[in-house]
Amino acid sequence: MDTNRLSPTLAKALNDQMTAEAHNAQIYLAYGAWADDQGYSGISNLLFRHQNEERTHMMKFLEYILKRGAKPVITEIASPGEDPVNVNDCFEKVYTYEVKNTESIYNIVNMALAEKDWITWNFLQWFIKEQTEEETLAMDLLSKVKIAGGANANADALYLVNRDMGKMQDSATLAQEVSVENP
Ligand SMILES: [Fe+2]
Ligand SMILES: [Fe+2]
């Protein structure tokens, strides 16, 4: 008896997203290694912490595919690509990857909607919220680098950025969590 509750199209999209999350983890891992090698141990610490989150995202997709009765296909992970050329480039790339990832999640939400697969649609809502946080965090990080001088930031400013980022929390606060008393 076939207990697979995912259409072949959705199963493939979810599987591709699982691999994309693993790829994102590789990117954070690579950028963290690059940052530490450049002497930015705080930035590296933040990026290494974040790669763990991406691996968690990968696991969520893997588990979901299994729980819907399909079989995840583990493939090779594409190379993270070139190292950033500087701290500004690093966080511009991080921001771009996060936006790209949100769009990729949107695509699967659209597919679930078209198929009226409400269980998958519901599962993906967690990722919609997560991407709100991810984009906000990436934007915050880029802002920090921008006010430090962006691509022209000097060593003093980067020293502070590095120190700050090492101590930053893993996730950003959502607009929904803010109140008048606690802006
Ligand atoms: Fe992710
Ligand atoms: Fe992410």
Side-chain angles (χ1 to χ4, degrees):
M1 188 189 171
D2 187 9
T3 53
N4 180 5
R5 298 282 290 130
L6 290 174
S7 75
T9 340
L10 260 183
K12 178 166 190 319
L14 290 163
N15 208 96
D16 287 349
Q17 187 60 36
M18 173 188 77
T19 311
E21 299 290 350
H23 181 234
N24 289 343
Q26 293 294 90
I27 292 168
Y28 280 103
L29 202 56
Y31 288 9
W34 166 82
D36 194 82
D37 183 57
Q38 298 288 308
Y40 302 120
S41 57
I43 294 175
S44 158
N45 177 283
L46 177 122
L47 295 169
F48 284 156
R49 278 185 280 136
H50 205 88
Q51 69 90 22
N52 229 0
E53 287 202 21
E54 302 298 348
R55 294 288 293 182
T56 301
H57 297 164
M58 175 204 72
M59 279 309 292
K60 285 186 193 295
F61 280 104
L62 182 138
E63 277 293 334
Y64 181 73
I65 295 166
L66 283 169
K67 285 190 194 307
R68 298 302 290 150
K71 161 86 169 53
V73 181
I74 308 301
T75 63
E76 63 181 354
I77 304 166
S79 151
E82 303 269 295
D83 279 345
V85 293
N86 54 39
V87 172
N88 187 68
D89 184 45
C90 174
F91 289 102
E92 280 187 0
K93 286 193 161 86
V94 161
Y95 178 77
T96 308
Y97 277 121
E98 289 299 343
V99 171
K100 206 175 126 210
N101 198 55
T102 304
E103 277 159 14
S104 153
I105 305 262
Y106 281 179
N107 269 332
I108 320 175
V109 174
N110 287 338
M111 289 167 73
L113 179 78
E115 286 190 20
K116 294 188 167 47
D117 179 343
W118 303 122
I119 295 184
T120 299
W121 186 89
N122 182 58
F123 166 74
L124 291 169
Q125 297 311 304
W126 185 90
F127 281 94
I128 295 289
K129 188 179 176 215
E130 180 67 7
Q131 281 311 116
T132 319
E133 277 184 29
E134 298 270 88
E135 281 195 21
T136 305
L137 177 67
M139 211 189 291
D140 286 353
L141 295 169
L142 195 53
S143 297
K144 273 188 196 297
V145 180
K146 260 193 207 150
I147 59 169
N152 303 314
N154 64 24
D156 288 353
L158 287 174
Y159 174 83
L160 294 173
V161 166
N162 176 63
R163 203 180 56 179
D164 256 36
M165 286 191 183
K167 293 183 200 146
M168 269 176 77
Q169 291 200 325
D170 289 324
S171 49
T173 308
L174 292 176
Q176 296 95 304
E177 288 154 6
V178 165
S179 68
V180 174
E181 293 81 20
N182 196 12

